[in-house]
Each structure stands twice: as structure tokens, then as C-alpha cells.
Amino acid sequence: MSEKSAPVAYGGQAVIEGVMFGGKHVNVTAVRRKSGEITFLEVPREEKSWVRSLRKVPLLRGLVSLVDSSIKGSKHLNYSFDAYADDEMTPEEREELKAKNKKGEAKLSLGAIVGVTAAAIISFIVGKIVFTLVPVFVEDFLFKGSFAHQIYHNLAEGGIKLVLLLLYLYLISLTPLVKRLFQYHGAEHKVITAFEAGEELTPKNVQKYTRLHYRCGSSFIMLTVIIGILIYSLFSWDSLLERVVQRLLLLPVVMGVSFEFLKFTNALRDVPVLRYLGYPGLWLQLLTTKEPTDEQVEVSIASFNRMRELDAVYQKQGVPASAPNAILDPLEG
């Protein structure tokens, strides 16, 4: 690619030992197997008409996108884990599982699929509630009655939330599993940035680029802290219980406004002064991404190229009801 490419309308997401890229018509996960081979999970993007309608509504579209990415991310993460488990199987165990697959005993039932989806949504909601309410209780315990104006309590709450977030991300980044996840996250960013710069996608070319990217979901996390302080300051409370209830009720508003502001900062990232609005999110990516290896970049390139290839095919022929590899089964992939 010699000409500078327009910014891609694709989203990426790191999964264990692999990377998922979401295109206009298909989501593709590439996973490096123990043998060195790269295998793919290819899932056409299918949305109900009412979901597409909600994606056009300001504030609501942010919540829809977040829940949708949690569901899709869990499916592709499961594929990555299944591939890892398959690599660790003995030949005898693999043959036994293949036999069960043929009998239909090892396939996911509809109930199991619904269960995975529900678990993804619930874990997302619980995580947001925990990180919203814990700072409230900590701030109340440390600074109850210390400030005359509630805005100072809001600032202290936001500061505590930020410290807890950074501490949490730093601690989990020390574990080998999460460190590799963050390396693939960095690889995904490098690939998108290199593509947008018009570079030929090779590990050597891609490694020249930064692992930080404006359109990363990590920026959204930082924005919820900042936007939360501003929105909470518009309301007063008379008790800890009222404050807790208020935070829960305003959580969807904070998330919705944060999503819109993220879109706003992305649109202004080339404006000399206004581009600094997105810097807090970039700083957070210093924790949520790590420098990848060439092998990890190669997996990310494979995922990105396969996604673009299928997107082009589906753009011409239409999205099929199912893709050949649209299965959560590494044995069949």
C-alpha cells in the first residue's frame, strides 16, 4: 500500500494468544497454535433491525456498543481458550473429543450459548457497578464531614476511583497471562496505525509504529472517571444511601456521555489544540498495552488481512447466513 489509507472503520480486541478484528461485515479472530500455525474464527456480523436503530440514538448507542462488544468478545475469547486447551490435549484425548463431536455430545446447546451471553453481560454490569460504588464507600469512610461542599467529595471520589483503576491494571499486568493479552492489544493498535499510514503490513514495518491509538476502548475507561465527576457534581445528596442510589441511576448516563465524548475527541484528533482532549486515554494505554513480539504482530496482521479479505467478499456477494469457520471448535477450524 503506497498511498495513505483512510482511517479504518474497524475495531480490534486482544484475546489470549490471538487478536480479534471486527469489520463491517465479519469479525475474525486469529490464534497462534502450538504448532506455529495460525487458525481463524470467522463470524459474520448479524444485527437485529432494532439494534441497528438503537445504534443511531445518541447516548443509547454507547451502551448498545459496549454490551455488544462484551458479548462478541467473550465468544472470541472462548475460541482462543478452546484452541489453547486443544493444543494441550494428548492425541487420545483429541480423538475422544472428535468422537463426541460427531455424536453431537460435545456441541454447545442453545442454553449454553445463552448462558455464555448472559454471563458476559452480567460480568460487564457487575464490573461497572463495583468500580462505581467502591470509591463512594471509601471516600465516605476517609473524608466524611471533611469538606463543606459536595464537589470536593466528588473530586476525592474520582481520585480514589482513578487510583484503584490504575492499581488494578498495574497488578494484573504483572501476571504472565494478562501481560501477553496486553502485548496482543499493542500489536492490534500497531497494525491499525500502520495500515492508516499506508504501510505494507509486515512485522518489521508494523513494529515501527506506536502501540497507542486514539480509538481504543481504554480511552473510554478513563473518560468515565472524568465525565463521572462532572455529571455527579450536577446533583446533591443528603445521605450515603441517596448517594449510592444516585450513582447507580446515573451510571448509564455517564457511560453514554463518555461514549459520545470519545467519538468527539476522535473526530478532533487532527486539530492541533483539541487533539489533547484524547491524551488521558492514551496515557492509560501505557498500562493496557505492552510492546508485542514480531510473532504476535504476525498474528495480528493475519487477523486484520483475513477480516479485510472477507469484508471485500461479503461486500460483493452479501453476508452469508453462516461462514465456513463460524464455529467455536478448534478441532474443526
Side-chain angles (χ1 to χ4, degrees), residues 12 34-35 59 87 97 102 122 142 147 170 204 249 292 300:
K34 199 171 185 178
S35 63
L59 298 182
D87 283 340
L97 185 56
K102 289 179 181 179
I122 291 172
L142 294 177
F147 306 123
Y170 172 73
K204 183 178 179 180
L249 293 177
S300 188

Side-chain angles (χ1 to χ4, degrees), residues 110-269:
L110 177 60
I113 295 173
V114 172
V116 170
T117 301
I121 296 174
I122 291 172
S123 63
F124 171 78
I125 294 174
V126 170
K128 292 302 299 179
I129 290 176
V130 168
F131 267 99
T132 297
L133 295 187
V134 168
V136 173
F137 290 110
V138 173
E139 194 283 330
D140 185 75
F141 176 77
L142 294 177
F143 302 109
K144 186 175 183 179
S146 300
F147 306 123
H149 201 287
Q150 288 184 351
I151 191 171
Y152 298 115
H153 287 285
N154 291 333
L155 289 172
E157 177 188 333
I160 292 170
K161 184 181 295 185
L162 183 59
V163 169
L164 291 177
L165 173 64
L166 296 179
L167 182 61
Y168 170 75
L169 289 173
Y170 172 73
L171 290 176
I172 66 172
S173 71
L174 298 178
T175 64
L177 189 65
V178 176
K179 181 181 178 180
R180 289 188 66 79
L181 180 70
F182 286 176
Q183 284 179 299
Y184 275 110
H185 191 189
E188 169 239 316
H189 284 181
K190 283 173 175 275
V191 167
I192 293 179
T193 305
F195 175 80
E196 291 176 339
E199 283 274 15
E200 180 185 0
L201 296 183
T202 66
K204 183 178 179 180
N205 288 342
V206 169
Q207 286 284 33
K208 295 185 300 184
Y209 289 87
T210 176
R211 71 180 198 266
L212 312 182
H213 198 281
Y214 253 83
R215 295 196 299 280
C216 176
S218 300
S219 301
F220 173 80
I221 299 174
M222 180 66 79
L223 278 176
T224 57
V225 177
I226 300 172
I227 298 296
I229 294 174
L230 298 176
I231 292 180
Y232 297 150
S233 297
L234 299 176
F235 302 87
S236 61
W237 70 88
D238 296 320
S239 66
L240 178 61
L241 177 60
E242 185 177 342
R243 185 179 180 183
V244 168
V245 172
Q246 184 185 100
R247 295 298 186 264
L248 291 175
L249 293 177
L250 290 174
L251 181 57
V253 178
V254 171
M255 293 169 62
V257 173
S258 298
F259 183 85
E260 297 300 326
F261 192 78
L262 180 61
K263 288 175 66 68
F264 176 71
T265 58
N266 286 338
L268 299 175
R269 65 184 182 277

Side-chain angles (χ1 to χ4, degrees), residues 76-126:
H76 289 260
L77 191 61
N78 284 341
Y79 173 74
S80 182
F81 274 121
D82 286 346
Y84 175 80
D86 176 56
D87 283 340
E88 298 304 312
M89 286 182 184
T90 64
E92 293 76 17
E93 290 173 331
R94 190 175 289 108
E95 288 303 319
E96 182 181 348
L97 185 56
K98 282 185 177 180
K100 288 183 177 180
N101 280 343
K102 289 179 181 179
K103 295 178 182 178
E105 296 174 8
K107 298 295 183 181
L108 284 176
S109 65
L110 177 60
I113 295 173
V114 172
V116 170
T117 301
I121 296 174
I122 291 172
S123 63
F124 171 78
I125 294 174
V126 170

